[in-house]
Amino acid sequence: MNHRLNAFTVDVEDYFQVENFASQIDRKTWERYPSRIEANTERVLTLLGRHGVRATFFILSWNAERLPQLVRAIAGAGHEIASHGYGHQLVYEQEPAEFARDITRAKIELERLAGAPVVGYRAPSYSITARSRWAFGHLLAAGYRYDSSVYPIRRRRYGIPGAPRFPHRVAEGLIEFPMTTWRVAGMNLPAASGGYLRILPLAVSIAAVSQLNRAGHPAVVNVHPWELDPEQPRIGGGHLGGFTHYANLHTTGDRLRALLDRFRFGTMRQTLEHAGFTLEGSAIADPPALTNPRSA
Ligand SMILES: [Zn+2]
């Protein structure tokens, strides 16, 4: 067992709220879909409980509004509550002022439900990219202390190729904890998160976490509750998004158990503090001064 602490994270969204289906499912129709988020989140909580691991749950406020008891149950089990925004709108498709309202409202609502400061944010579909770096300044101004949205890879909808692969400061007071990659043959290979965790061989995720830990850095594992639900209703046809959404759902639990057995995990907060970062000024009643978003 390696003794470096890694972050275990959960993006709390339902099977019909994912970006892969956004072109087929209008946000306004979300109410029509049978919700499976509570039962599926319970599966994640059980898994974590068995391993004695506390994790960070990035919660969509659309879900928190409708299921306040879910937020209370997660917080009550000792996990960290963080924000995934309100309705899964991509950051670079929002105006900065709209984004600022979204993250401020989400923080206030989640803090009210959790009874604890909310200092972490993860953008829907990792949508802080080169063209939405302005988001860092807004997160800091809204009272967030860390972000975990940057994937240091190149993808059509997300990624900042060449971005650092381990936690670092992106603005005065704001820490970026990038999504985990495996550096191999001069390239960053995505690992240990969502579809990459399910579809690539588990050895890739293990190699990525091990490599970061050996270099003295923490990794982050990420899962969505619907990824533990092979019985979920099927949406759409046989396009690629459908394939990546449904592939290997029956293996997610075993893969997570293998990682939980092999590595040490905690919340984002614990992991950042263990790595030497101070999440200062994170109390609710401590609104920070507005900084210039462009300085990020
Ligand atoms: Zn998401």
Side-chain angles (χ1 to χ4, degrees):
M1 161 95 66
N2 187 301
H3 291 287
R4 180 148 288 277
L5 197 60
N6 300 290
F8 193 105
T9 70
V10 185
D11 290 354
V12 183
E13 63 200 46
D14 222 329
Y15 64 96
F16 52 85
Q17 297 173 321
V18 303
E19 179 59 25
N20 265 340
F21 296 138
S23 60
Q24 297 166 70
I25 299 179
D26 190 309
R27 189 170 291 107
K28 294 188 204 77
T29 67
W30 279 0
E31 298 276 12
R32 290 185 210 157
Y33 291 83
S35 171
R36 296 172 72 86
I37 192 89
E38 277 189 285
N40 290 336
T41 302
E42 193 54 50
R43 292 179 190 194
V44 182
L45 290 172
T46 301
L47 184 68
L48 293 170
R50 287 206 182 109
H51 286 82
V53 165
R54 289 198 284 158
T56 296
F57 288 70
F58 293 93
I59 301 180
L60 273 192
S61 291
W62 193 94
N63 292 330
E65 253 178 27
R66 284 155 183 84
L67 300 164
Q69 69 278 12
L70 179 63
V71 182
R72 290 195 200 98
I74 297 168
H79 301 290
E80 179 188 6
I81 302 295
S83 175
H84 197 37
Y86 182 81
H88 220 266
Q89 293 99 331
L90 303 182
V91 173
Y92 49 75
E93 290 180 354
Q94 298 179 59
E95 291 298 324
E98 187 188 352
F99 174 76
R101 274 194 303 277
D102 178 270
I103 57 171
T104 302
R105 178 181 163 195
K107 181 168 155 71
I108 292 168
E109 284 174 358
L110 291 173
E111 286 181 346
R112 187 174 51 78
L113 291 170
V118 168
V119 298
Y121 174 79
R122 174 171 291 143
S125 300
Y126 314 115
S127 56
I128 297 185
T129 64
R131 60 183 165 130
S132 50
R133 276 182 194 271
W134 49 260
F136 293 138
H138 287 282
L139 286 166
L140 186 62
Y144 291 87
R145 285 295 171 263
Y146 71 83
D147 171 73
S148 182
S149 307
V150 173
Y151 232 131
I153 56 174
R154 187 187 304 279
R155 284 294 179 275
R156 190 166 57 86
R157 282 197 298 244
Y158 59 86
I160 302 183
R165 298 173 52 242
F166 35 82
H168 58 286
R169 290 203 182 264
V170 282
E172 194 188 333
L174 190 78
I175 302 154
E176 172 61 34
F177 194 150
M179 300 308 292
T180 286
T181 51
W182 182 31
R183 182 86 184 155
V184 58
M187 292 184 307
N188 294 346
L189 204 60
S193 172
Y196 302 123
L197 170 68
R198 276 182 293 122
I199 295 164
L200 299 175
L202 179 62
V204 171
S205 292
I206 291 173
V209 178
S210 301
Q211 185 185 56
L212 280 167
N213 285 182
R214 273 199 310 275
H217 301 296
V220 53
V221 164
N222 186 41
V223 69
H224 303 83
W226 56 260
E227 292 184 284
L228 289 149
D229 181 13
E231 314 299 322
Q232 65 192 268
R234 289 327 196 231
I235 290 166
H239 59 88
L240 185 64
F243 168 74
T244 58
H245 185 94
Y246 297 118
N248 290 349
L249 292 176
H250 59 286
T251 70
T252 310
D254 285 342
R255 287 173 182 235
L256 291 175
R257 274 183 282 276
L259 293 172
L260 286 161
D261 282 340
R262 192 172 187 121
F263 301 104
R264 265 184 80 208
F265 288 98
T267 65
M268 292 292 281
R269 256 198 104 121
Q270 288 173 325
T271 305
L272 286 168
E273 282 167 358
H274 189 257
F277 288 93
T278 313
L279 280 73
E280 72 283 357
S282 54
I284 299 175
D286 183 23
L290 192 75
T291 57
N292 177 3
R294 304 291 165 194
S295 68

